[in-house]
Amino acid sequence: MAVTTNDSKPYVVGVDVGGTNTVFGIVDARGNIIRSGKIKSTNHIKVEDYIKELADAIVDLANDAGGIQLIYGVGVGAPNGNFFTGSIDFAPNLLWKGRIPMAHLLSEALGGLPVALTNDANAAAIGEMTYGAARGMKDFIEITLGTGLGSGIVVGGKLVYGHDGFAGEIGHTIIRRNGRSCGCGRMGCLETYCSATGVARTAKEFLTAREDKSLLRNLDVDEITSKDVYDAAIQGDKLALDVFETTGAILGEALADSVAYTSPEAIILFGGLTKAGDILLEPVKRHMEQNLLNIYKDKVKIMVSELKESDAAILGASALGWEADRKLLSILTD
């Protein structure tokens, strides 16, 4: 992605809005994050209060880097972020419901500084393509495994947005008909099985349905997290290992279907759940290969992101900041 700079405004801000935390950073034209910060996404029921806290934190960070006057624009990656309108639309994992004009509100709170927005997983894909494991690739899929499951699809070196800005919602394809309830309002979505919360849900189901011993039985079943499951798995706990086998099987099946749509060179996994390493990756690879159409077998790499967990989305979102002034500000303030 080409970056056009303004010598008098050498920085942009990248913001990654997550279900739990919002991380942000000041980025120079070479992709160096020179300052970074974090606030809770869950501190405020009213989005206006959240925007004020975020804007104040960005201003403080900018002042530490020389002043807000050095910021050219702001790029935001957010769940259900619409690149075309700058709004967050009906995000299931955020406190604020409905359609939130995020870019417009943040621009106003920053005194008119141009703000552009896209889906958080799309921002991670841009960061991966520019600075990470997807350097030099023109066809790949970025899968973000966090509180939910997001995805960014790159074809021919360009992100796929679709006609309305919402293409590539692999996490909300239905992998089990009439399956688990999802925050989006449907049943059986992939992210209800293959995410940090999905791993915890599977563990709870196994503990209820099975009678075998497990280290997880020493914990409050309602408080079990994916990390608890991982900690038990690395100690050889059979039930915990079965949880990751099941998670990997479901994700591998879904990725095999996704390959048929775009024939990517690689699928890159990003996010906290990838810290499980081969306990998760091995079953994902095995089940994907087992379910691929023959013409795709042994052609698609599964890789782990080379970027720090916060960096990919910050860097990807920041790339939008260089374009915000020219492309989106007129739309957002219309």
Side-chain angles (χ1 to χ4, degrees):
M1 177 175 290
V3 173
T4 302
T5 64
N6 181 319
D7 289 340
S8 65
K9 296 186 177 183
Y11 304 129
V12 290
V13 175
V15 180
D16 175 38
V17 181
T20 303
N21 295 309
T22 295
V23 295
F24 46 92
I26 295 178
V27 182
D28 68 18
R30 294 186 178 183
N32 298 309
I33 300 175
I34 64 169
R35 299 284 191 283
S36 63
K38 177 173 70 174
I39 65 170
K40 286 285 186 182
S41 304
T42 55
N43 276 353
H44 303 291
I45 298 298
K46 293 178 62 177
V47 69
E48 292 82 3
D49 294 335
Y50 163 80
I51 292 290
K52 183 181 186 307
E53 183 183 0
L54 176 59
D56 289 346
I58 288 172
V59 170
D60 288 344
L61 208 65
N63 287 338
D64 191 45
I68 194 70
Q69 72 277 4
L70 298 178
I71 305 300
Y72 187 77
V74 180
V76 180
N80 286 25
N82 190 315
F83 176 73
F84 298 140
T85 66
S87 64
I88 298 173
D89 293 359
F90 309 100
N93 295 321
L94 296 180
L95 289 177
W96 322 294
K97 304 306 178 185
R99 182 171 286 111
I100 308 298
M102 175 75 177
H104 178 70
L105 292 173
L106 186 56
S107 178
E108 280 192 332
L110 291 170
L113 196 66
V115 177
L117 176 143
T118 191
N119 180 283
D120 52 344
N122 287 340
I126 294 172
E128 204 73 64
M129 181 166 49
T130 309
Y131 306 107
R135 287 188 302 271
M137 291 186 192
K138 292 187 176 180
D139 298 272
F140 70 96
I141 298 174
E142 183 97 351
I143 300 290
T144 61
L145 299 170
T147 305
L149 187 151
S151 56
I153 300 173
V154 174
V155 175
K158 296 182 178 180
L159 271 166
V160 175
Y161 284 110
H163 82 281
D164 62 352
F166 288 120
E169 286 289 347
I170 294 175
H172 292 287
T173 55
I174 295 177
I175 196 68
R176 295 288 187 268
R177 292 291 166 187
N178 300 313
R180 293 175 178 172
S181 61
C182 182
C184 73
R186 301 193 305 160
M187 308 287 287
C189 289
L190 179 63
E191 80 167 23
T192 67
Y193 297 90
C194 301
S195 61
T197 51
V199 166
R201 289 175 77 170
T202 300
K204 293 170 188 176
E205 289 178 2
F206 281 15
L207 288 168
T208 300
R210 294 167 48 162
E211 297 182 354
D212 48 329
K213 294 181 179 179
S214 172
L215 295 171
L216 296 174
R217 296 193 186 279
N218 298 326
L219 305 175
D220 182 342
V221 67
D222 293 325
E223 301 297 326
I224 286 174
T225 67
S226 60
K227 185 180 184 305
D228 294 328
V229 183
Y230 170 72
D231 289 342
I234 62 174
Q235 296 181 64
D237 186 275
K238 178 66 165 55
L239 187 145
L241 287 168
D242 287 349
V243 170
F244 278 104
E245 173 67 25
T246 298
T247 303
I250 295 172
L251 183 55
E253 292 168 7
L255 295 182
D257 290 340
S258 298
V259 166
Y261 293 116
T262 66
S263 188
E265 177 182 347
I267 296 171
I268 300 171
L269 305 181
F270 166 80
L273 202 56
T274 63
K275 294 176 183 177
D278 285 341
I279 291 175
L280 176 65
L281 296 179
E282 192 281 327
V284 170
K285 293 176 181 178
R286 174 162 39 87
H287 286 279
M288 186 186 79
E289 284 295 332
Q290 288 174 357
N291 287 278
L292 281 172
L293 192 64
N294 282 337
I295 56 173
Y296 302 121
K297 286 185 180 295
D298 299 316
K299 290 182 179 179
V300 184
K301 296 174 285 189
I302 290 189
M303 307 170 67
V304 175
S305 172
E306 293 179 355
L307 301 177
K308 294 179 182 179
E309 191 169 341
S310 62
D311 285 2
I314 287 177
L315 291 172
S318 73
L320 295 174
W322 298 112
E323 303 296 325
D325 184 50
R326 292 187 295 278
K327 186 169 185 179
L328 293 179
L329 188 58
S330 63
I331 297 174
L332 301 174
T333 56
D334 183 57

